[in-house]
Amino acid sequence: MKTLIVLFGLLAWIGCHDEDKIPSEQILEADATWTNMLAADGCSWHFSIKSADSTYSVLPDKGSIQKIEDELGEINSYYSFTPVHLKYSQTGNKSSVKCGWERNATFDEIKVISIRKK
């Protein structure tokens, strides 16, 4: 009888045990352009991604900068359009970038999983 009580107690504990499951991040892929148009009164380094009917801009998070520089070289130009293929996930955060006429623009932030120059 004690064995059954212990066994049912263990089964109840296992059944009620709440595991913290981390949801897998959604990984997206897109062709994009790593762009800096600050010299032409546009915005500094950001990704421009074309969708079916529009183009939207996103910014890499701080942890992604090294991956970008490893693949594309050091970020030191003031005017550039580099076509790339991105694998990324959205962080859910917003980030700001310097733009012409002394203004800042706020875009969605992404985490770059991989980047390849086209």
Side-chain angles (χ1 to χ4, degrees), residues 10-31:
L10 284 173
L11 288 174
W13 178 75
I14 291 171
C16 294
H17 186 5
D18 185 24
E19 293 182 24
D20 292 332
K21 293 184 181 179
I22 300 171
S24 62
E25 54 189 27
Q26 183 180 6
I27 296 176
L28 305 168
E29 287 191 54
D31 289 329

Side-chain angles (χ1 to χ4, degrees), residues 5-118:
I5 293 173
V6 171
L7 181 62
F8 285 125
L10 284 173
L11 288 174
W13 178 75
I14 291 171
C16 294
H17 186 5
D18 185 24
E19 293 182 24
D20 292 332
K21 293 184 181 179
I22 300 171
S24 62
E25 54 189 27
Q26 183 180 6
I27 296 176
L28 305 168
E29 287 191 54
D31 289 329
T33 305
W34 180 232
T35 305
N36 184 354
M37 297 185 297
L38 190 57
D41 293 329
C43 294
S44 188
W45 292 106
H46 64 281
F47 288 108
S48 294
I49 300 174
K50 291 183 181 179
S51 66
D53 57 352
S54 65
T55 300
Y56 61 98
S57 298
V58 294
L59 292 171
D61 65 355
K62 292 183 191 261
S64 298
I65 298 298
Q66 189 61 48
K67 277 185 188 171
I68 296 167
E69 287 185 341
D70 288 347
E71 178 65 24
L72 304 179
E74 189 176 332
I75 300 171
N76 58 12
S77 176
Y78 292 103
Y79 191 77
S80 180
F81 296 93
T82 305
V84 296
H85 183 78
L86 280 177
K87 277 188 182 179
Y88 66 96
S89 63
Q90 297 174 333
T91 65
N93 297 327
K94 299 274 187 186
S95 193
S96 294
V97 65
K98 183 178 179 182
C99 296
W101 303 98
E102 296 299 320
R103 66 179 180 87
N104 288 325
T106 301
F107 300 133
D108 290 332
E109 188 178 79
I110 63 168
K111 174 184 173 188
V112 175
I113 309 295
S114 70
I115 182 170
R116 179 177 42 86
K117 189 174 183 178
K118 288 177 66 180

